[in-house]
Coordinates of all heavy atoms in Angstrom, one line a residue:
M1261 N 0.9 -1.2 0.0 CA 0.0 0.0 0.0 C 0.9 1.2 0.0 O 1.8 1.3 0.8 CB -0.9 0.0 1.2 CG -1.8 1.2 1.4 SD -2.9 1.0 2.8 CE -4.4 1.5 2.0
P1262 N 0.6 2.2 -0.9 CA 1.5 3.4 -1.0 C 1.3 4.2 0.3 O 0.3 4.2 0.9 CB 1.0 4.1 -2.2 CG -0.3 3.5 -2.5 CD -0.4 2.2 -1.9
G1263 N 2.3 5.0 0.6 CA 2.3 5.9 1.7 C 1.5 7.2 1.4 O 0.9 7.3 0.4
P1264 N 1.5 8.1 2.4 CA 0.8 9.3 2.2 C 1.4 10.3 1.2 O 2.6 10.2 0.8 CB 0.9 10.0 3.6 CG 2.1 9.4 4.2 CD 2.2 8.0 3.7
H1265 N 0.6 11.1 0.7 CA 1.0 12.2 -0.3 C 0.8 13.5 0.4 O -0.4 13.8 0.8 CB 0.2 12.1 -1.6 CG 0.7 13.1 -2.6 ND1 1.1 12.7 -3.8 CD2 0.8 14.4 -2.6 CE1 1.5 13.8 -4.5 NE2 1.3 14.9 -3.7
Y1266 N 1.8 14.3 0.5 CA 1.7 15.6 1.1 C 1.8 16.7 0.0 O 2.6 16.6 -0.9 CB 2.9 15.8 2.1 CG 2.9 14.9 3.2 CD1 3.6 13.7 3.2 CD2 2.1 15.1 4.4 CE1 3.6 12.8 4.2 CE2 2.1 14.2 5.4 CZ 2.9 13.1 5.3 OH 2.9 12.2 6.4
T1267 N 1.0 17.7 0.2 CA 1.1 18.9 -0.7 C 1.3 20.1 0.1 O 0.5 20.4 1.0 CB -0.2 19.0 -1.6 OG1 -0.4 17.9 -2.4 CG2 -0.1 20.3 -2.5
V1268 N 2.4 20.8 -0.1 CA 2.7 22.1 0.6 C 2.5 23.2 -0.4 O 3.1 23.2 -1.5 CB 4.1 22.1 1.1 CG1 4.5 23.4 1.8 CG2 4.4 20.9 2.0
I1269 N 1.7 24.2 0.0 CA 1.4 25.3 -0.8 C 2.0 26.5 -0.1 O 1.6 26.8 1.0 CB -0.1 25.5 -1.1 CG1 -0.7 24.3 -1.8 CG2 -0.3 26.8 -1.9 CD1 -2.2 24.2 -1.7
Q1270 N 2.9 27.2 -0.7 CA 3.6 28.3 0.0 C 3.7 29.5 -0.9 O 3.6 29.4 -2.1 CB 5.0 27.8 0.4 CG 5.9 28.8 1.1 CD 5.4 29.3 2.4 OE1 4.2 29.7 2.5 NE2 6.2 29.5 3.4
T1271 N 3.9 30.7 -0.2 CA 4.1 31.9 -0.9 C 5.4 32.5 -0.6 O 5.9 32.4 0.5 CB 2.9 32.9 -0.6 OG1 3.2 34.2 -1.1 CG2 2.8 33.1 0.9
R1272 N 6.0 33.1 -1.6 CA 7.3 33.8 -1.4 C 7.1 35.0 -0.5 O 8.1 35.5 0.1 CB 7.8 34.3 -2.8 CG 9.2 34.9 -2.8 CD 9.7 35.2 -4.2 NE 10.2 33.9 -4.7 CZ 9.8 33.4 -5.9 NH1 8.9 34.0 -6.6 NH2 10.3 32.3 -6.4
N1273 N 5.9 35.5 -0.3 CA 5.6 36.7 0.5 C 5.3 36.4 1.9 O 4.7 37.2 2.7 CB 4.5 37.5 -0.1 CG 4.9 37.9 -1.5 OD1 6.0 38.3 -1.8 ND2 3.9 37.8 -2.4
D1274 N 5.6 35.2 2.4 CA 5.3 34.7 3.7 C 6.2 35.5 4.7 O 7.4 35.5 4.6 CB 5.5 33.2 3.9 CG 4.8 32.6 5.1 OD1 4.8 33.3 6.1 OD2 4.2 31.5 4.9
K1275 N 5.6 36.1 5.7 CA 6.3 36.8 6.8 C 6.2 36.1 8.1 O 6.7 36.5 9.1 CB 5.7 38.2 7.0 CG 5.8 39.1 5.7 CD 7.2 39.4 5.3 CE 7.2 40.4 4.2 NZ 7.9 40.0 3.0
V1276 N 5.5 34.9 8.1 CA 5.4 34.1 9.3 C 6.4 33.0 9.3 O 7.1 32.7 10.3 CB 3.9 33.6 9.5 CG1 3.8 32.6 10.6 CG2 2.9 34.7 9.6
V1277 N 6.4 32.2 8.2 CA 7.4 31.2 8.0 C 8.6 31.8 7.3 O 8.5 32.2 6.1 CB 6.8 30.0 7.2 CG1 7.9 28.9 7.0 CG2 5.6 29.4 7.9
T1278 N 9.7 32.0 8.0 CA 10.9 32.6 7.4 C 12.1 31.8 7.6 O 12.3 31.3 8.7 CB 11.1 34.0 8.0 OG1 11.2 33.9 9.4 CG2 9.9 34.9 7.6
P1279 N 12.9 31.6 6.6 CA 12.6 31.9 5.2 C 11.4 31.0 4.7 O 11.2 29.9 5.3 CB 13.9 31.6 4.5 CG 14.6 30.6 5.3 CD 14.2 30.9 6.7
Y1280 N 10.8 31.5 3.7 CA 9.6 30.8 3.2 C 9.9 29.3 2.8 O 9.1 28.4 2.8 CB 8.9 31.5 2.1 CG 9.7 31.6 0.8 CD1 9.6 30.5 -0.2 CD2 10.6 32.6 0.5 CE1 10.3 30.5 -1.3 CE2 11.3 32.6 -0.7 CZ 11.2 31.6 -1.6 OH 11.9 31.6 -2.7
T1281 N 11.1 29.1 2.4 CA 11.5 27.7 2.0 C 11.5 26.7 3.1 O 11.5 25.5 2.9 CB 13.0 27.8 1.4 OG1 13.9 28.4 2.3 CG2 13.0 28.6 0.1
N1282 N 11.4 27.2 4.4 CA 11.3 26.3 5.5 C 10.0 25.5 5.5 O 9.9 24.5 6.2 CB 11.5 27.0 6.8 CG 12.9 27.3 7.1 OD1 13.8 26.8 6.5 ND2 13.1 28.2 8.1
A1283 N 9.0 26.0 4.7 CA 7.7 25.3 4.7 C 7.8 24.0 3.9 O 7.0 23.1 4.1 CB 6.7 26.2 4.1
F1284 N 8.7 23.9 3.0 CA 8.8 22.8 2.0 C 9.3 21.5 2.7 O 10.1 21.6 3.7 CB 9.7 23.1 0.8 CG 9.1 24.2 0.0 CD1 9.9 25.3 -0.4 CD2 7.8 24.3 -0.4 CE1 9.4 26.3 -1.2 CE2 7.3 25.3 -1.1 CZ 8.1 26.3 -1.5
L1285 N 8.7 20.4 2.3 CA 9.1 19.1 2.8 C 10.0 18.3 1.9 O 9.9 18.5 0.7 CB 7.8 18.3 3.1 CG 6.8 18.9 4.1 CD1 5.5 18.0 4.1 CD2 7.4 19.0 5.4
D1286 N 10.8 17.4 2.5 CA 11.5 16.5 1.7 C 10.8 15.1 1.8 O 10.2 14.8 2.9 CB 13.0 16.3 2.3 CG 13.8 17.5 2.2 OD1 13.7 18.2 1.1 OD2 14.6 17.8 3.1
A1287 N 10.8 14.4 0.7 CA 10.1 13.1 0.7 C 10.8 12.1 1.5 O 12.0 11.9 1.3 CB 9.8 12.6 -0.7
E1288 N 10.2 11.5 2.4 CA 10.7 10.3 3.2 C 10.4 9.1 2.4 O 9.5 9.1 1.6 CB 10.1 10.3 4.6 CG 10.4 11.5 5.5 CD 11.9 11.6 5.9 OE1 12.5 10.5 6.0 OE2 12.4 12.7 6.0
P1289 N 11.1 8.0 2.6 CA 10.8 6.7 2.0 C 9.4 6.4 2.1 O 8.8 6.4 3.3 CB 11.8 5.7 2.6 CG 12.9 6.6 3.1 CD 12.3 7.9 3.5
G1290 N 8.7 6.0 1.1 CA 7.3 5.6 1.1 C 6.3 6.8 1.1 O 5.1 6.5 1.2
T1291 N 6.8 8.0 0.9 CA 5.8 9.1 0.9 C 6.0 9.9 -0.5 O 7.1 9.8 -1.1 CB 6.0 10.1 2.0 OG1 7.3 10.7 1.9 CG2 5.9 9.5 3.4
E1292 N 5.1 10.7 -0.8 CA 5.2 11.6 -2.0 C 5.0 13.0 -1.5 O 4.1 13.2 -0.6 CB 4.0 11.3 -3.0 CG 4.4 10.3 -4.0 CD 3.3 10.2 -5.1 OE1 3.1 11.1 -5.9 OE2 2.5 9.2 -5.0
V1293 N 5.8 13.9 -2.0 CA 5.6 15.3 -1.6 C 5.6 16.2 -2.8 O 6.4 16.0 -3.7 CB 6.9 15.7 -0.7 CG1 6.8 17.2 -0.4 CG2 6.9 15.0 0.6
T1294 N 4.6 17.1 -2.8 CA 4.5 18.1 -3.9 C 4.6 19.4 -3.2 O 3.8 19.8 -2.3 CB 3.2 18.0 -4.6 OG1 3.0 16.7 -5.2 CG2 3.1 19.1 -5.7
N1295 N 5.7 20.2 -3.4 CA 5.9 21.5 -2.9 C 5.6 22.5 -4.0 O 6.1 22.4 -5.1 CB 7.4 21.7 -2.5 CG 7.8 20.9 -1.3 OD1 7.1 20.9 -0.3 ND2 8.8 20.1 -1.4
V1296 N 4.7 23.4 -3.7 CA 4.2 24.4 -4.6 C 4.6 25.8 -4.1 O 4.1 26.2 -3.0 CB 2.7 24.3 -4.8 CG1 2.1 25.4 -5.7 CG2 2.2 22.9 -5.3
L1297 N 5.3 26.5 -4.9 CA 5.5 27.9 -4.6 C 4.6 28.7 -5.6 O 4.8 28.7 -6.8 CB 7.0 28.3 -4.8 CG 7.3 29.8 -4.6 CD1 7.0 30.2 -3.1 CD2 8.8 30.1 -4.9
L1298 N 3.6 29.4 -5.0 CA 2.6 30.0 -5.9 C 3.2 31.0 -6.9 O 2.7 31.0 -8.1 CB 1.6 30.8 -5.0 CG 0.7 29.9 -4.1 CD1 0.0 30.7 -3.1 CD2 -0.2 29.1 -5.0
Q1299 N 4.2 31.7 -6.6 CA 4.8 32.7 -7.5 C 5.5 32.0 -8.7 O 5.8 32.7 -9.6 CB 5.7 33.7 -6.8 CG 4.9 34.7 -6.0 CD 4.3 34.2 -4.6 OE1 4.8 33.2 -4.1 NE2 3.3 34.8 -4.1
D1300 N 5.9 30.8 -8.6 CA 6.4 30.1 -9.7 C 5.4 29.9 -10.8 O 5.8 29.8 -12.0 CB 7.0 28.7 -9.3 CG 8.3 28.7 -8.6 OD1 8.9 29.8 -8.6 OD2 8.7 27.7 -8.0
Q1301 N 4.1 29.9 -10.4 CA 3.1 29.7 -11.4 C 2.3 31.0 -11.7 O 1.8 31.2 -12.8 CB 2.1 28.6 -11.0 CG 2.8 27.3 -10.8 CD 1.9 26.2 -10.2 OE1 1.0 26.5 -9.5 NE2 2.2 25.0 -10.6
C1302 N 2.2 31.8 -10.7 CA 1.5 33.1 -10.8 C 2.4 34.2 -10.2 O 2.3 34.6 -9.1 CB 0.2 33.0 -10.0 SG -1.0 31.8 -10.6
P1303 N 3.3 34.7 -11.0 CA 4.3 35.6 -10.5 C 3.8 36.9 -9.9 O 4.4 37.5 -9.0 CB 5.2 36.0 -11.8 CG 4.9 34.9 -12.7 CD 3.5 34.3 -12.4
N1304 N 2.6 37.3 -10.3 CA 2.0 38.5 -9.8 C 1.1 38.3 -8.5 O 0.5 39.3 -8.0 CB 1.2 39.2 -10.9 CG 2.0 39.7 -12.0 OD1 3.2 40.1 -11.8 ND2 1.5 39.5 -13.2
D1305 N 1.1 37.1 -8.0 CA 0.3 36.8 -6.9 C 0.9 37.4 -5.6 O 2.0 37.0 -5.2 CB 0.1 35.3 -6.7 CG -1.0 34.9 -5.7 OD1 -1.3 35.8 -4.8 OD2 -1.4 33.8 -5.7
P1306 N 0.3 38.4 -5.0 CA 0.9 39.1 -3.8 C 0.6 38.5 -2.5 O 1.0 39.0 -1.4 CB 0.2 40.5 -3.9 CG -1.2 40.2 -4.4 CD -1.0 39.1 -5.4
V1307 N -0.1 37.3 -2.5 CA -0.6 36.8 -1.2 C 0.5 36.5 -0.2 O 1.6 36.1 -0.5 CB -1.4 35.5 -1.5 CG1 -0.5 34.3 -1.9 CG2 -2.3 35.1 -0.3
G1308 N 0.1 36.8 1.1 CA 1.0 36.5 2.2 C 0.5 35.3 3.0 O -0.5 34.7 2.6
H1309 N 1.1 35.0 4.0 CA 0.7 33.8 4.9 C -0.7 33.8 5.3 O -1.4 32.8 5.1 CB 1.7 33.8 6.1 CG 1.4 32.6 7.0 ND1 2.2 31.4 6.8 CD2 0.6 32.3 8.0 CE1 1.8 30.5 7.7 NE2 0.8 31.1 8.4
M1310 N -1.2 34.9 5.9 CA -2.5 35.0 6.4 C -3.6 35.0 5.3 O -4.8 34.8 5.6 CB -2.7 36.2 7.3 CG -1.7 36.1 8.5 SD -1.9 34.7 9.6 CE -3.5 35.1 10.3
G1311 N -3.2 35.3 4.1 CA -4.2 35.4 3.0 C -4.4 34.2 2.2 O -5.2 34.2 1.3
L1312 N -3.6 33.2 2.5 CA -3.6 32.0 1.6 C -5.0 31.3 1.5 O -5.4 30.9 0.4 CB -2.6 30.9 2.2 CG -1.2 31.2 1.8 CD1 -0.3 30.2 2.6 CD2 -0.9 31.0 0.3
F1313 N -5.8 31.4 2.6 CA -7.1 30.8 2.5 C -8.1 31.5 1.6 O -9.2 31.0 1.3 CB -7.7 30.6 3.9 CG -8.2 31.9 4.6 CD1 -9.6 32.1 4.6 CD2 -7.4 32.8 5.1 CE1 -10.1 33.3 5.2 CE2 -7.9 34.0 5.7 CZ -9.2 34.2 5.7
L1314 N -7.7 32.7 1.2 CA -8.6 33.5 0.3 C -8.0 33.6 -1.1 O -8.5 34.3 -2.0 CB -8.7 35.0 0.9 CG -9.4 35.1 2.2 CD1 -9.3 36.6 2.7 CD2 -10.9 34.7 2.0
D1315 N -6.9 33.0 -1.3 CA -6.2 33.1 -2.6 C -6.7 32.1 -3.6 O -6.7 30.8 -3.4 CB -4.7 32.9 -2.4 CG -3.8 33.1 -3.6 OD1 -3.8 34.3 -4.0 OD2 -3.2 32.2 -4.1
G1316 N -7.1 32.5 -4.8 CA -7.6 31.7 -5.8 C -6.7 30.6 -6.2 O -7.1 29.4 -6.3
P1317 N -5.4 30.9 -6.6 CA -4.5 29.8 -7.0 C -4.3 28.8 -5.9 O -4.2 27.6 -6.1 CB -3.2 30.5 -7.4 CG -3.7 31.9 -7.9 CD -4.9 32.2 -7.0
A1318 N -4.1 29.2 -4.6 CA -3.9 28.3 -3.5 C -5.1 27.4 -3.4 O -5.0 26.2 -3.2 CB -3.7 29.1 -2.2
L1319 N -6.3 27.9 -3.4 CA -7.5 27.1 -3.3 C -7.7 26.1 -4.4 O -8.1 25.0 -4.2 CB -8.8 28.0 -3.2 CG -8.9 28.9 -2.0 CD1 -10.0 29.9 -2.1 CD2 -9.0 28.0 -0.7
Q1320 N -7.3 26.5 -5.6 CA -7.3 25.6 -6.8 C -6.4 24.4 -6.5 O -6.7 23.3 -6.9 CB -6.9 26.3 -8.1 CG -8.0 27.4 -8.5 CD -7.5 28.2 -9.6 OE1 -7.0 27.7 -10.7 NE2 -7.5 29.5 -9.5
H1321 N -5.2 24.7 -6.0 CA -4.2 23.7 -5.6 C -4.8 22.7 -4.6 O -4.6 21.5 -4.6 CB -2.9 24.2 -5.2 CG -2.0 24.5 -6.3 ND1 -1.4 23.5 -7.1 CD2 -1.5 25.7 -6.8 CE1 -0.6 24.0 -8.0 NE2 -0.7 25.4 -7.9
V1322 N -5.5 23.3 -3.6 CA -6.1 22.4 -2.5 C -7.1 21.5 -3.2 O -7.1 20.3 -2.9 CB -6.8 23.3 -1.4 CG1 -7.6 22.4 -0.5 CG2 -5.7 24.0 -0.6
M1323 N -8.0 22.0 -4.0 CA -9.0 21.2 -4.7 C -8.3 20.1 -5.6 O -8.8 19.0 -5.6 CB -10.0 22.0 -5.5 CG -10.8 23.0 -4.6 SD -11.7 22.2 -3.3 CE -12.9 21.3 -4.2
N1324 N -7.3 20.5 -6.3 CA -6.6 19.5 -7.1 C -6.0 18.4 -6.3 O -6.1 17.2 -6.6 CB -5.5 20.2 -7.9 CG -4.8 19.3 -8.9 OD1 -5.4 18.8 -9.9 ND2 -3.5 19.0 -8.6
A1325 N -5.3 18.8 -5.2 CA -4.7 17.7 -4.3 C -5.8 16.8 -3.7 O -5.6 15.6 -3.7 CB -3.9 18.4 -3.2
L1326 N -6.9 17.4 -3.2 CA -7.9 16.6 -2.6 C -8.6 15.7 -3.6 O -9.1 14.7 -3.2 CB -8.9 17.5 -1.8 CG -8.3 18.2 -0.6 CD1 -9.4 19.1 0.0 CD2 -7.9 17.2 0.5
G1327 N -8.7 16.2 -4.8 CA -9.4 15.5 -5.9 C -8.5 14.5 -6.6 O -8.9 14.0 -7.6
D1328 N -7.2 14.4 -6.1 CA -6.3 13.5 -6.8 C -6.1 13.9 -8.3 O -6.1 13.1 -9.2 CB -6.7 12.0 -6.7 CG -5.5 11.1 -6.9 OD1 -4.3 11.5 -6.7 OD2 -5.7 9.9 -7.3
G1329 N -6.0 15.2 -8.5 CA -5.8 15.8 -9.8 C -4.4 15.5 -10.4 O -3.6 14.9 -9.7
P1330 N -4.1 16.1 -11.5 CA -2.9 15.9 -12.2 C -1.7 16.5 -11.4 O -1.8 17.6 -10.8 CB -3.0 16.5 -13.6 CG -4.1 17.5 -13.4 CD -5.0 17.0 -12.3
A1331 N -0.6 15.8 -11.5 CA 0.6 16.3 -10.8 C 1.2 17.6 -11.4 O 1.8 18.4 -10.7 CB 1.7 15.2 -10.8
D1332 N 0.9 17.8 -12.7 CA 1.4 19.0 -13.4 C 0.3 20.1 -13.4 O 0.4 21.0 -14.3 CB 1.9 18.7 -14.8 CG 0.7 18.1 -15.6 OD1 -0.3 17.8 -15.1 OD2 0.9 18.0 -16.9
F1333 N -0.6 20.1 -12.4 CA -1.7 21.1 -12.4 C -1.1 22.5 -12.4 O -0.1 22.8 -11.7 CB -2.5 20.9 -11.1 CG -3.6 21.9 -10.9 CD1 -4.7 21.9 -11.7 CD2 -3.4 22.9 -10.0 CE1 -5.7 22.8 -11.5 CE2 -4.4 23.9 -9.8 CZ -5.5 23.8 -10.6
R1334 N -1.8 23.4 -13.2 CA -1.5 24.8 -13.2 C -2.8 25.6 -12.9 O -3.8 25.4 -13.6 CB -1.0 25.2 -14.6 CG 0.2 24.5 -15.1 CD 1.5 24.8 -14.5 NE 1.9 26.2 -14.8 CZ 3.0 26.7 -14.4 NH1 3.9 26.0 -13.7 NH2 3.3 27.9 -14.7
P1335 N -2.8 26.4 -11.9 CA -4.0 27.2 -11.6 C -4.2 28.3 -12.5 O -3.3 28.8 -13.2 CB -3.7 27.7 -10.1 CG -2.2 27.9 -10.2 CD -1.7 26.8 -11.0
S1336 N -5.4 28.8 -12.5 CA -5.8 30.1 -13.2 C -5.3 31.2 -12.3 O -5.6 31.2 -11.1 CB -7.3 30.2 -13.3 OG -7.6 31.4 -13.8
C1337 N -4.5 32.1 -12.8 CA -3.9 33.2 -12.0 C -4.9 34.3 -11.9 O -4.7 35.4 -12.4 CB -2.6 33.6 -12.6 SG -1.3 32.3 -12.6
T1338 N -5.9 34.1 -11.1 CA -6.9 35.1 -10.8 C -7.4 35.0 -9.3 O -7.0 34.1 -8.6 CB -8.2 34.9 -11.7 OG1 -8.7 33.6 -11.4 CG2 -7.9 35.0 -13.2
D1339 N -8.1 36.1 -8.9 CA -8.7 36.1 -7.5 C -7.6 35.9 -6.5 O -7.7 35.1 -5.6 CB -9.7 35.0 -7.4 CG -10.9 35.2 -8.4 OD1 -11.3 36.3 -8.6 OD2 -11.4 34.1 -8.9
Y1340 N -6.6 36.8 -6.5 CA -5.5 36.7 -5.6 C -6.0 37.1 -4.2 O -6.8 38.0 -4.0 CB -4.4 37.6 -6.0 CG -3.7 37.2 -7.3 CD1 -3.3 38.2 -8.2 CD2 -3.5 35.9 -7.6 CE1 -2.7 37.9 -9.4 CE2 -2.8 35.6 -8.8 CZ -2.4 36.5 -9.7 OH -1.8 36.2 -10.8
G1341 N -5.4 36.5 -3.2 CA -5.6 36.8 -1.8 C -4.8 38.0 -1.4 O -4.0 38.5 -2.1
P1342 N -5.1 38.5 -0.1 CA -4.4 39.7 0.3 C -2.9 39.4 0.7 O -2.5 38.3 0.9 CB -5.2 40.1 1.6 CG -5.9 38.8 2.0 CD -6.1 38.0 0.8
R1343 N -2.2 40.5 0.7 CA -0.7 40.4 0.9 C -0.3 40.1 2.3 O 0.8 39.7 2.6 CB -0.1 41.7 0.4 CG 1.4 41.6 0.4 CD 2.1 42.7 -0.4 NE 3.5 42.6 -0.4 CZ 4.2 42.0 -1.2 NH1 3.6 41.3 -2.2 NH2 5.5 41.9 -1.1
F1344 N -1.2 40.2 3.3 CA -0.9 40.0 4.7 C -0.8 38.5 5.0 O -1.2 37.7 4.4 CB -1.8 40.7 5.6 CG -3.2 40.4 5.5 CD1 -3.7 39.3 6.2 CD2 -4.1 41.1 4.7 CE1 -5.1 38.9 6.1 CE2 -5.5 40.8 4.6 CZ -5.9 39.7 5.3

């Protein structure tokens, strides 16, 4: 039976997790990890840590991960969350 799959969604503008790269996970044996930096896909997304739950691309990634969507998923770069 395969192990768990983790998806980490992070923003370059995070002022809570610093540096922002500390949020990313390394895959342990038997697990799968997908690390997503929102600005790699949506460079103009200003969202900060506290605004992730309102961010369109972040929410699209959540739905893709929960729905076992494609690994190469690309969100629509709209409905950005706040910078805080």
Side-chain angles (χ1 to χ4, degrees):
M1261 178 175 223
H1265 183 122
Y1266 298 97
T1267 299
V1268 177
I1269 303 166
Q1270 179 60 317
T1271 174
R1272 186 173 280 125
N1273 302 317
D1274 199 319
K1275 303 292 188 235
V1276 176
V1277 177
T1278 57
Y1280 70 87
T1281 54
N1282 282 346
F1284 297 133
L1285 299 175
D1286 294 322
E1288 296 292 326
T1291 64
E1292 268 186 74
V1293 174
T1294 301
N1295 291 307
V1296 176
L1297 180 61
L1298 290 170
Q1299 286 77 21
D1300 282 350
Q1301 298 175 334
C1302 299
N1304 296 323
D1305 192 342
V1307 70
H1309 182 93
M1310 299 300 291
L1312 282 170
F1313 76 102
L1314 295 171
D1315 187 66
L1319 294 173
Q1320 292 171 54
H1321 271 291
V1322 169
M1323 297 304 292
N1324 183 68
L1326 292 175
D1328 200 25
D1332 62 347
F1333 175 76
R1334 303 285 294 185
S1336 171
C1337 296
T1338 58
D1339 301 321
Y1340 296 141
R1343 189 164 179 87
F1344 58 84

